[in-house]
Amino acid sequence: MKGNHQQSSVLSALSKEQLVSVANIDDISADYTGKNKPFIRFLVEDKNIDGKKIAEILSNKFGYPYIQLANFDTTLVPEGIRNEKLITKHNALPLFLRGKVLFVAMSDPTNLDALEEIQFNTGFSTELVLTDEHGLQACIEKVLEDESDALDITDIDSEELSGLEVQEEKSEDDAGTGEDDAPIVVFINKILLDAIKKGASDLHFEPYEKAFRIRFRIDGILTEIARPPVSLSSRMAARLKVMSKLDIAERRVPQDGRIKLALSKKKSIDFRVSTLPTMWGEKIVMRILDSSSAMLGIDMLGYEAEQKKIYTEALDQPQGMILVTGPTGSGKTVSLYTGLNILNTAERNISTAEDPVEINLEGINQVQINNRAGLTFPSALRSFLRQDPDIVMVGEIRDLETAEIAIKAAQTGHLVLSTLHTNSAAETLTRLLNMGVPSYNVASSVSIIIAQRLARRLCPQCKEHEELSEAQLAEQGFPAEKLSEIKLFKAVGCEQCTGGYKGRVGIYEVIKISPEISSIIMEGGNSLDIANQCQKEGYNNLRQSGLIKAMNGMTSLKEINRVTNA
């Protein structure tokens, strides 16, 4: 009976969009009886119904994000949780692991038993993303072919830890790799693996006079993980510098390096490494560079429907400038690369100038800025414009020279994407003016501005209702007409999360530069004038977008107050 109800839900949705006729629903159900294959595969293979159209219709019907797997890099599939029996039984493929949330691709949104069984077997919470049947089958076949080479990092022991390889050339006089340092090697590898498994974005190794601590940044918050003996701090620093191919004898100046840690023959993780001399030794911070974050698709980032529409329409334009703004760690790079991933086709020439290159994406020409060698943002941009580009991405507009070249490119038939460090969309425009960019150039070149923050998601397992009076809600800025129906939740904490939160969601202010906003820029208006016009045109600022996330139960009011500085 349960299967019949699921089939009816799917067929009803398809009939409303006229993909199947109402008269044929009973015949289709009867023909499926006795078939030993998933229902969606039956519709595609036996009834010749377009799988992509099915996925798009069901995505709208059931509210799950839609992702195309045609160019998906299967090496990004979590290796420790590839269970061939579960994958083939449920026609479901684990795609990404974000902290303790596992995103699972399926073509049938009614098969919730699959999500429950995968959650039970892996220990991770599951979230469904929809895809078309042909793309799913091809991806599953590729993953299962590669399974023999996979390494399970969720169940690795100390004997295996010393076998992890750093993919760099080795030197005979490397420090930190001798027999006396074997425990250090094992410990460092364990710390790196723990960081990957816990979904950390950064690792901090911090020496003090009488202490040495290691912290992870998980969901934007630093958490202390370990306090090794302070006597080991210099040996750990030496080991990390060896892995990063830095000068271990130089302890007086900062150094930057990179580690590629091989987890298996086909899976590796990149770390960006920065050293800083302090009073009591070298502090080392490592950023985990996660290429899979750009592959999630725009539906997974947290844009509201109208905001997503503005962004995708700007990406469709042949020229103009898209600016993303926010503090360090607010997800600007992921937003830009999600857009680049949408644009990344064989018909387009895409070049990026970054410092550093954080996400590797095949099909995009990525340039690492090297100021010492004379490879600056302006020089890279000038070279791009001689390379027949369609799309240019500038990691950050830091000065007038870079801004002028980027704006010139946006005015001469190129789509330009870049970032700025400002607090709001309105301040981004005035920042360009303050740099010295003429107002008419700003008004004519900038298409949209996206200001963003990352807020921690509430854990669905333990979140609880938070009672606030209507007066308190109004004071926080919630819409007056909705005060009586608002239900908020607060963080509690359980074994499945960190302090009541699990994962993060984006909060956005997306502004399309209208003729009225352009007029304010041309007339020398300030950021307050621009912000007021944005409100008149109905654009939500960061605070308003955050309150929507709180009303939808995604995060808490306390978290919104933290990230939007209420």
Side-chain angles (χ1 to χ4, degrees):
M1 292 295 292
K2 185 176 180 180
N4 290 336
H5 176 69
Q6 292 171 340
Q7 296 164 27
S8 298
S9 298
V10 170
L11 292 174
S12 175
L14 299 184
S15 66
K16 287 181 180 178
E17 298 297 327
Q18 299 181 346
L19 204 59
V20 299
S21 66
V22 177
N24 289 337
I25 287 180
D26 290 339
D27 292 337
I28 292 174
S29 297
D31 289 347
Y32 180 64
T33 303
K35 296 285 185 181
N36 188 25
K37 65 171 64 176
F39 184 59
I40 301 297
R41 188 181 301 172
F42 163 75
L43 295 178
V44 173
E45 294 179 348
D46 294 36
K47 297 300 178 180
N48 297 315
I49 302 175
D50 190 316
K52 289 185 178 179
K53 290 183 179 178
I54 292 177
E56 290 170 356
I57 291 170
L58 297 183
S59 173
N60 292 328
K61 163 70 175 177
F62 292 94
Y64 295 112
Y66 171 60
I67 185 172
Q68 293 188 27
L69 298 179
N71 299 313
F72 181 72
D73 182 0
T74 55
T75 62
L76 300 176
V77 174
E79 293 169 334
I81 47 182
R82 296 176 180 179
N83 185 316
E84 181 176 355
K85 182 179 179 181
L86 281 180
I87 290 173
T88 53
K89 174 184 176 182
H90 293 296
N91 201 35
L93 179 65
L95 286 184
F96 299 105
L97 193 58
R98 288 288 170 275
K100 295 180 181 179
V101 180
L102 182 65
F103 292 93
V104 181
M106 297 166 55
S107 60
D108 186 352
T110 65
N111 188 11
L112 300 181
D113 290 342
L115 294 180
E116 292 178 4
E117 190 168 348
I118 291 172
Q119 179 170 327
F120 177 79
N121 279 270
T122 63
F124 296 108
S125 296
T126 54
E127 287 197 21
L128 169 64
V129 292
L130 271 175
T131 190
D132 64 277
E133 179 62 29
H134 282 315
L136 181 61
Q137 286 187 58
C139 218
I140 287 176
E141 290 174 7
K142 182 71 168 63
V143 168
L144 296 183
E145 283 176 10
D146 296 341
E147 177 60 19
S148 59
D149 292 323
L151 172 68
D152 185 351
I153 68 168
T154 62
D155 189 30
I156 194 164
D157 59 33
S158 59
E159 291 183 4
E160 293 172 296
L161 287 170
S162 56
L164 291 176
E165 294 183 2
V166 178
Q167 295 184 345
E168 301 286 349
E169 295 180 4
K170 296 185 178 181
S171 169
E172 293 181 1
D173 53 353
D174 280 348
T177 56
E179 291 184 7
D180 292 342
D181 291 296
I184 298 293
V185 172
V186 171
F187 181 77
I188 291 292
N189 285 341
K190 182 180 186 303
I191 288 293
L192 300 185
L193 285 169
D194 283 348
I196 295 168
K197 288 190 286 185
K198 291 180 179 180
S201 61
D202 301 87
L203 299 79
H204 292 238
F205 297 80
E206 302 169 307
Y208 300 98
E209 182 180 11
K210 297 180 180 179
F212 178 54
R213 69 177 177 181
I214 299 172
R215 294 189 291 173
F216 292 171
R217 188 176 294 278
I218 302 173
D219 294 337
I221 304 296
L222 278 171
T223 305
E224 187 172 308
I225 299 299
R227 277 186 175 257
V230 69
S231 59
L232 297 180
S233 64
S234 60
R235 291 168 65 188
M236 287 193 189
R239 172 58 184 165
L240 290 169
K241 289 168 74 175
V242 166
M243 295 171 74
S244 312
K245 285 301 159 188
L246 300 177
D247 184 353
I248 63 170
E250 181 56 80
R251 302 182 181 92
R252 300 165 300 175
V253 297
Q255 298 185 67
D256 294 307
R258 199 175 179 108
I259 295 173
K260 183 178 284 291
L261 191 68
L263 299 176
S264 72
K265 293 180 181 179
K266 296 187 178 182
K267 178 69 173 179
S268 61
I269 296 289
D270 288 333
F271 296 83
R272 190 181 80 211
V273 182
S274 173
T275 73
L276 179 70
T278 68
M279 283 282 290
W280 308 107
E282 289 180 286
K283 175 180 179 179
I284 296 179
V285 175
M286 306 174 68
R287 165 69 57 89
I288 299 178
L289 307 178
D290 187 2
S291 297
S292 66
S293 57
M295 305 295 290
L296 280 175
I298 194 169
D299 290 323
M300 305 300 292
L301 298 185
Y303 286 95
E304 304 298 330
E306 185 61 26
Q307 294 174 337
K308 173 188 168 185
K309 180 183 177 184
I310 294 171
Y311 188 18
T312 53
E313 286 179 351
L315 291 171
D316 286 336
Q317 299 302 309
Q319 66 182 50
M321 180 178 285
I322 298 172
L323 292 174
V324 181
T325 181
T328 300
S330 60
K332 299 187 298 295
T333 302
V334 171
S335 282
L336 285 178
Y337 264 93
T338 299
L340 289 179
N341 195 42
I342 293 171
L343 296 169
N344 187 15
T345 63
E347 296 80 26
R348 295 186 176 103
N349 178 22
I350 305 175
S351 295
T352 74
E354 303 168 75
D355 185 21
V357 174
E358 293 194 13
I359 295 175
N360 296 319
L361 201 58
E362 186 175 342
I364 292 178
N365 308 292
Q366 298 171 281
V367 174
Q368 170 72 55
I369 295 302
N370 186 342
N371 290 310
R372 290 183 180 178
L375 182 54
T376 62
F377 279 113
S379 64
L381 276 174
R382 289 192 190 94
S383 296
F384 289 170
L385 297 180
R386 294 191 291 269
Q387 291 266 319
D388 184 32
D390 296 300
I391 297 153
V392 171
M393 195 269 267
V394 188
E396 182 184 351
I397 294 178
R398 297 176 179 173
D399 51 50
L400 176 59
E401 188 178 10
T402 305
E404 287 179 334
I405 300 171
I407 285 174
K408 180 182 177 182
Q411 292 173 331
T412 55
H414 307 93
L415 182 62
V416 179
L417 295 84
S418 189
T419 70
L420 273 171
H421 284 281
T422 57
N423 291 324
S424 68
E427 290 177 39
T428 302
L429 294 168
T430 55
R431 170 74 184 278
L432 289 173
L433 296 173
N434 292 337
M435 278 184 180
V437 179
S439 58
Y440 57 84
N441 277 341
V442 175
S444 63
S445 61
V446 179
S447 303
I448 68 166
I449 302 173
I450 302 172
Q452 67 180 79
R453 301 289 188 274
L454 288 178
R456 292 177 292 171
R457 285 181 183 267
L458 282 168
C459 172
Q461 305 294 330
C462 64
K463 66 180 182 181
E464 292 182 354
H465 281 287
E466 181 177 20
E467 298 295 335
L468 291 177
S469 67
E470 290 192 11
Q472 289 173 310
L473 293 172
E475 185 180 349
Q476 291 293 328
F478 287 97
E481 67 275 11
K482 295 186 177 181
L483 293 179
S484 60
E485 56 190 66
I486 290 175
K487 289 185 178 179
L488 299 180
F489 294 86
K490 63 182 179 181
V492 178
C494 65
E495 293 181 357
Q496 301 293 321
C497 64
T498 304
Y501 297 96
K502 182 162 56 178
R504 288 192 285 180
V505 64
I507 298 172
Y508 303 94
E509 176 185 12
V510 182
I511 305 300
K512 183 178 181 181
I513 306 304
S514 65
E516 291 76 16
I517 296 175
S518 294
S519 296
I520 294 174
I521 298 169
M522 294 288 289
E523 293 167 4
N526 58 33
S527 59
L528 185 59
D529 297 327
I530 296 170
N532 288 336
Q533 181 60 35
C534 291
Q535 287 291 293
K536 289 179 183 178
E537 296 184 18
Y539 296 118
N540 287 330
N541 58 30
L542 284 168
R543 176 70 180 174
Q544 292 164 331
S545 295
L547 294 178
I548 291 173
K549 293 289 191 296
M551 287 190 291
N552 291 338
M554 292 185 184
T555 188
S556 66
L557 178 59
K558 182 179 179 180
E559 180 69 1
I560 294 304
N561 288 338
R562 182 182 74 85
V563 299
T564 61
N565 299 318

